[in-house]
Amino acid sequence: MTEAPPIKLRIPRAELSSCSLFDVTPAAAAKWAEDLPLTNAKLMSRGLLKATWELNRIDMPADQRLAILNSLRRPVHTALNSLATHFLNQPLSLPAEAREMFELADNLAKQVTTGYTLVAVQAIQQRGRFQSGSPAKTTCEGLHRAISIAGRRFLQTLQLYKPIERGSWLELYQLYLLCDRQQLSDIKVTDELDGSCSVKARFTQICLLGSCRPNQLRQKDLPVVYRQFYEQRELCHLLPASSGEGLLIIDLGSDSAPVYNTEPENTSELGAQHRYLFIEPLTTRFKEHINYIRHRPAKSIVENHKEPMLSTDVLEHLVSSLGQVNIRGFSRTQAAGTMHIVVGLASVHFHIAGERIFERVLQEGPSSESKHTSDVAAFLHRSDTDQNARETAETEDQSVTDEISDDAYSQERSRTARIAPDDDLSGAELSRRYPKHRVRVINSSTGGYCLEWSSALPRSVKTGDVVGLSEEGTKDWVIATIRWVSQLENAKTLIGVSLLSPSAFAFGAQTIKKLGEVSDPVRVLLLPEISLTGTPQTLITPRLGFKEFQKISLIQGNQSHYAQLQRQVSSTPSYSQFAFRYMQQLKDVMADEHGILDKNPFNAVWHYL
C-alpha cells in the first residue's frame, strides 16, 4: 500500500514569549478588543494584525489559542468589513490608498488563517496532554475557522479580479486533507458569523467559487454567488476519485483551482489525493430557478431571508460554467497593435452615430457620412408581403403583458439612455462624456480579443458591458461585450471581449403601451443579420424596460419603424439583446394588441368586457 504524502503546511516558529498588547488569556484579549477604535478601520486592523502576528509566534496550548482567537474573531470580522468598503466598488485600477486597505485586509486574514491552522496542528500533536475538552473538537473547529477565513480571502481577491496568491490553493487543499485524514470533515461546526456547516461543505463552497469563472461575474454578484453555494450545499457532493463521477476534479496536492473532467473514462490515473465535485443537482436546481423566474418575473425563489439572491443572468452563467465542460471554441493567436474602445451603451451609440448626440439622431436620421446609410434604408424598407409572411399567429397566444414598470424604466433611462442637453457642449466636453480609450491587442481569435488596458481603468468598466472596437486609422466600429477582467500584479489589466456584430445602426426606441401610448425614446443599437453565420437581426437595448413580445417603435429622423421584440437572445446586467420582427403601421400594432378591427365598432369595446 502506497504511503500517503505528508501534509504541507507552513507554521511560524515560536520565537516570542509574550504578547506586547495584552496578557495571553482569552479574558485579556477580549478586554483589549473592546477598546479598539471601531470607527477607524485602518488603526483597528493594524492593531489586530499586530496581535495575531505575535500570537502566532507564542507557544501555548491549542485550546487556549483557540479561545483567544475566538475572542478576537468578531472584531476581525468587523475590521475586514470596514476595510472592504475602501477597496470595493472602486475603479478596477485601485488608487494607492485603496490598494493599501486591500493589502491590510489580506494580511490580517492571512494571519488569522495561520492562527487557526496552528490550533489544529497543535491539537493533533498535543492530544495526549489535553486537560479538558476534546482534541478532536478543537482540531475540527480550528480547521473550520481557518478554511472559512481563507475563503473570505479568496472572495475579496476575486472581487478585484486579481489572481489567487501563489500557494493559497495548496494551503486550502492541505487544510482540508488534514481534516479528512482525521475523519472530521463531515462534522458540523457552529459558526454564527459565516454560517454553521461541516468543513467539507465550507471547502466545497470555496472550490465552487474558484470554478465558476468568477472573472466573468460582477464584483457585487460574487459575494451573493458565494453565499448561494453555502445555501445550496446539500446539492454539492465531494466524492473520492474511486467514484469516477463529477464534472470537476480537485488535486489536493496542486496549487491550482479545480479543473474540468475532460476525460471521464480515464480515472485510473487519479489517486487518493484527488476528489470529484459532483454538482449536477445544483445546476438542475439553478435551471429550475431560471424557469420559475421567467414565468413569474416579479418573484424569485432563490432567496435568503426574503432577500433576492440571484438574477437570471447570474444563474445562466452558473449553469454554463458549472453544468458542462467549457473548452475554448476558437484558438487564439498572438497579435500586436492598438485599438480604440468605447464602453457602455451611451458611448457606443454616440460613436456609431458618427459622433452625434442622441437628440440629433432622433431629429436628423442616419449620418450622411456613414457608408451604411443606404444599407439602413434597404434593410428597413422591406416589402409588405415579406412582413405579412413573418407575422404568424404564435405570438397571439403569448400570455404576457406589455405594461412595464415605470420606476424601473425611468431608473434605467436616467442612468444609461437619457437625452441630455448636449447641443451646447463643446467638442472637448463631448469627448469627456463619451470617451474613446486606446488599448493594446494581446491576442485575437475568431470570436474576440484579449486587450491590455495599461492606463487607469475607468470606474464604469464592468463585465457584461457592451463596447465598440475600432482599429487604428478607421472609423468603422464593431460591437462586442466584455466577458472577463483580470488584474495582473504589475498593475496592468487584461479584458476579454467577445464579438457580437461587425456593424450596428444607432436608433431611438419607444415602447408602445396600452391604447397607443408611447414612452420616451431611449438609445438602442440594431445589429443587422449576418447571412454567413445565420445570425438573425437583433436589438441591443437597456437592461430594464424591455421584454419579450413587447411592441416598440424604432426612430431615426422622420422615419419610424414599428416592431415587436421576440426571443431574448442574451442579457447581462448592462444590456439585453432581442430578436425582433417588423410590423407595418401603428394601427396594425394596436390591432395586434387589442384585436380591434376598424370596420367593426363592437370589436372596439369587446376588449374591455
Side-chain angles (χ1 to χ4, degrees):
M1 182 175 179
T2 304
E3 185 178 351
I7 301 295
K8 304 173 184 177
L9 288 171
R10 294 182 178 180
I11 304 298
R13 293 181 179 178
E15 54 191 13
L16 299 179
S17 58
S18 62
C19 177
S20 63
L21 300 174
F22 49 80
D23 292 335
V24 187
T25 64
K31 179 64 174 64
W32 173 81
E34 290 178 0
D35 297 329
L36 287 171
L38 298 178
T39 58
N40 190 325
K42 184 185 293 187
L43 192 59
M44 178 183 183
S45 301
R46 284 177 174 170
L48 288 166
L49 178 61
K50 180 178 175 61
T52 52
W53 188 91
E54 291 185 4
L55 288 171
N56 291 342
R57 284 152 181 81
I58 299 174
D59 186 25
M60 68 181 80
D63 52 350
Q64 179 182 349
R65 186 184 302 277
L66 177 62
I68 293 174
L69 289 174
N70 282 343
S71 67
L72 299 177
R73 190 161 182 257
R74 190 169 292 278
V76 167
H77 190 270
T78 301
L80 292 176
N81 285 340
S82 299
L83 289 173
T85 62
H86 294 275
F87 58 80
L88 296 179
N89 301 315
Q90 300 290 327
L92 291 181
S93 298
L94 293 178
E97 183 177 357
R99 285 199 305 272
E100 180 186 356
M101 292 294 196
F102 168 73
E103 291 170 0
L104 182 55
D106 194 60
N107 287 332
L108 176 56
K110 188 185 303 184
Q111 291 299 323
V112 175
T113 301
T114 300
Y116 281 115
T117 301
L118 276 168
V119 169
V121 171
Q122 292 175 345
I124 296 172
Q125 294 174 342
Q126 303 168 1
R127 66 180 64 187
R129 292 186 288 166
F130 262 70
Q131 299 297 325
S132 61
S134 166
K137 182 179 179 181
T138 300
T139 301
C140 188
E141 184 175 342
L143 288 171
H144 189 276
R145 299 280 193 263
I147 291 176
S148 294
I149 198 70
R152 182 167 188 138
R153 279 190 68 208
F154 277 49
L155 174 61
Q156 292 188 341
T157 301
L158 294 173
Q159 282 184 281
L160 298 181
Y161 303 104
K162 292 178 176 291
I164 298 298
E165 184 182 33
R166 184 176 300 176
S168 296
W169 277 111
L170 178 60
E171 180 185 24
L172 175 69
Y173 293 159
Q174 295 297 290
L175 287 171
Y176 173 75
L177 191 58
L178 177 62
C179 188
D180 191 56
R181 289 183 182 177
Q182 298 297 317
Q183 300 181 352
L184 301 171
S185 59
D186 290 314
I187 297 176
K188 183 177 180 180
V189 177
T190 302
D191 190 341
E192 297 178 355
L193 296 180
D194 296 320
S196 302
C197 63
S198 67
V199 170
K200 180 182 289 186
R202 181 73 75 221
F203 174 74
T204 303
Q205 180 188 5
I206 302 170
C207 290
L208 288 173
L209 179 68
S211 305
C212 70
R213 302 204 298 267
N215 62 340
Q216 296 182 17
L217 290 169
R218 294 203 163 185
Q219 192 177 87
K220 65 182 179 61
D221 291 327
L222 281 169
V224 185
V225 167
Y226 188 57
R227 180 69 185 181
Q228 188 61 209
F229 290 149
Y230 168 78
E231 297 290 339
Q232 307 290 345
R233 60 191 179 278
E234 299 298 331
L235 303 177
C236 308
H237 305 286
L238 193 66
L239 304 176
S242 57
S243 69
E245 188 175 19
L247 182 73
L248 296 165
I249 298 177
I250 303 172
D251 181 357
L252 298 177
S254 71
D255 186 31
S256 60
V259 297
Y260 287 115
N261 181 16
T262 56
E263 299 179 356
E265 69 282 351
N266 235 353
T267 60
S268 58
E269 300 179 1
L270 303 181
Q273 66 180 19
H274 291 87
R275 299 289 187 276
Y276 278 111
L277 265 177
F278 180 69
I279 48 180
E280 185 176 344
L282 177 68
T283 54
T284 299
R285 176 68 60 84
F286 286 159
K287 291 175 184 177
E288 293 172 354
H289 292 344
I290 292 171
N291 291 332
Y292 181 93
I293 293 171
R294 283 178 173 170
H295 286 90
R296 300 181 63 182
K299 297 181 180 180
S300 169
I301 59 173
V302 193
E303 296 179 348
N304 176 44
H305 304 302
K306 298 183 180 181
E307 177 187 354
M309 291 295 288
L310 298 174
S311 66
T312 54
D313 305 325
V314 177
L315 285 169
E316 287 173 344
H317 172 86
L318 295 178
V319 170
S320 173
S321 59
L322 299 176
Q324 60 191 11
V325 175
N326 288 273
I327 302 175
R328 187 183 300 280
F330 305 103
S331 60
R332 290 195 175 274
T333 57
Q334 295 297 315
T338 59
M339 301 183 77
H340 285 113
I341 184 172
V342 293
V343 181
L345 182 56
S347 287
V348 175
H349 193 280
F350 174 80
H351 290 280
I352 287 289
E355 298 188 358
R356 294 180 303 148
I357 62 172
F358 186 31
E359 196 168 32
R360 286 183 57 193
V361 173
L362 297 179
Q363 294 171 352
E364 301 171 5
S367 171
S368 59
E369 299 178 357
S370 172
K371 71 177 184 179
H372 299 296
T373 301
S374 59
D375 296 338
V376 175
F379 181 69
L380 291 175
H381 292 86
R382 300 175 183 242
S383 68
D384 293 349
T385 303
D386 292 340
Q387 295 303 321
N388 292 334
R390 287 172 177 260
E391 296 180 8
T392 62
E394 62 182 5
T395 57
E396 300 285 342
D397 298 329
Q398 296 292 339
S399 58
V400 297
T401 175
D402 285 331
E403 293 180 352
I404 61 176
S405 169
D406 289 336
D407 290 340
Y409 184 77
S410 300
Q411 179 185 5
E412 181 69 10
R413 179 167 62 87
S414 64
R415 186 174 66 85
T416 61
R418 180 175 52 211
I419 302 178
D422 290 340
D423 278 332
D424 298 331
L425 296 180
S426 64
E429 180 61 24
L430 286 174
S431 296
R432 187 195 65 79
R433 183 168 292 191
Y434 308 110
K436 245 188 336 187
H437 307 277
R438 181 177 278 106
V439 292
R440 189 164 73 90
V441 182
I442 300 299
N443 57 55
S444 63
S445 72
T446 306
Y449 296 93
C450 174
L451 305 173
E452 179 187 312
W453 203 310
S454 53
S455 60
L457 200 67
R459 179 190 297 265
S460 60
V461 174
K462 297 180 178 67
T463 57
D465 281 338
V466 62
V467 299
L469 300 172
S470 177
E471 295 183 0
E472 291 281 0
T474 71
K475 293 185 178 180
D476 299 331
W477 292 92
V478 300
I479 309 302
T481 184
I482 298 178
R483 291 298 184 199
W484 55 265
V485 179
S486 180
Q487 289 273 35
L488 303 182
E489 294 181 0
N490 55 9
K492 293 181 180 179
T493 303
L494 298 183
I495 62 173
V497 297
S498 178
L499 299 180
L500 298 177
S501 175
S503 61
F505 306 119
F507 281 86
Q510 294 175 301
T511 56
I512 301 172
K513 302 181 183 180
K514 301 294 184 181
L515 301 179
E517 297 176 358
V518 295
S519 65
D520 293 334
V522 298
R523 297 177 177 91
V524 297
L525 299 174
L526 190 154
L527 309 186
E529 177 184 2
I530 305 175
S531 302
L532 184 63
T533 59
T535 304
Q537 60 190 6
T538 56
L539 280 178
I540 297 290
T541 72
R543 181 66 179 88
L544 300 178
F546 293 84
K547 56 188 177 183
E548 293 178 343
F549 309 110
Q550 203 168 42
K551 280 74 175 182
I552 64 171
S553 173
L554 295 175
I555 307 167
Q556 201 181 60
N558 58 4
Q559 298 181 356
S560 293
H561 311 277
Y562 299 103
Q564 184 181 40
L565 300 179
Q566 300 291 288
R567 180 176 61 90
Q568 181 173 290
V569 177
S570 67
S571 67
T572 75
S574 295
Y575 70 87
S576 294
Q577 184 178 8
F578 294 93
F580 68 100
R581 68 182 179 96
Y582 287 104
M583 308 178 75
Q584 287 301 296
Q585 301 293 336
L586 181 58
K587 65 180 181 180
D588 297 327
V589 178
M590 298 310 300
D592 184 48
E593 172 70 26
H594 301 297
I596 300 174
L597 296 177
D598 294 341
K599 296 182 180 180
N600 190 341
F602 289 102
N603 284 323
V605 297
W606 184 257
H607 174 74
Y608 298 97
L609 296 181

